[in-house]
Amino acid sequence: MTTSRIATALSLLSGLFIIYVGINYLVVPEATAAGFGLPAVPEGDAVAFLNLKGVRDVVSGLVILGLLATKQRFALGVAMLATSLTPFGDMATVLSWHGSTATALGVHGFTAVLVALAGVLLLREGRVRAADRRLVTA
């Protein structure tokens, strides 16, 4: 499997997965929040914050899929690197609020690494193509 295909697969999976997570936060917010890794789940009116998270997750996934669909691979690489900060921040939040270390590292940390990897591969892909063009014209 080529680097380009790996980057595409990671991007596609990332976009689809975060949309799935976002939809779950919109449909069953309390149940979804229980798996986030924090020691407490919002209750009552505070559950509205979970809907906000759901909307943001769906939009993040749509940005990824939109850039992928329009073949904006360099922009997708930049977006993936920026997006990797979200699960990294989630990991840091879970750890700082004494939540589940396993979830913080195993879910959020692992996700951050995979999303960042996709970003790096996409950015590297652009550099490799540029170097190939220089060799052809030289």
Side-chain angles (χ1 to χ4, degrees), residues 3-109:
T3 301
S4 178
R5 287 189 179 172
I6 293 169
T8 300
L10 286 173
S11 299
L12 180 62
L13 290 173
S14 295
L16 291 173
F17 180 72
I18 200 60
I19 289 172
Y20 170 77
V21 170
I23 290 170
N24 280 324
Y25 271 103
L26 294 170
V27 176
V28 285
E30 294 96 336
T32 305
F36 192 81
L38 290 171
V41 175
E43 297 176 1
D45 289 343
V47 171
F49 282 100
L50 299 177
N51 285 69
L52 295 173
K53 179 177 176 6
V55 169
R56 283 161 176 72
D57 285 352
V58 169
V59 170
S60 294
L62 290 174
V63 167
I64 291 168
L65 295 182
L67 290 170
L68 188 60
T70 58
K71 299 180 180 172
Q72 300 296 314
R73 295 184 70 82
F74 183 81
L76 177 59
V78 172
M80 293 297 283
L81 282 177
T83 301
S84 73
L85 297 175
T86 300
F88 178 77
D90 292 346
M91 177 187 72
T93 300
V94 170
L95 291 172
S96 67
W97 284 88
H98 309 292
S100 167
T101 302
T103 301
L105 300 176
V107 174
H108 303 298

Side-chain angles (χ1 to χ4, degrees), residues 105-120:
L105 300 176
V107 174
H108 303 298
F110 183 67
T111 299
V113 168
L114 287 181
V115 173
L117 175 63
V120 167

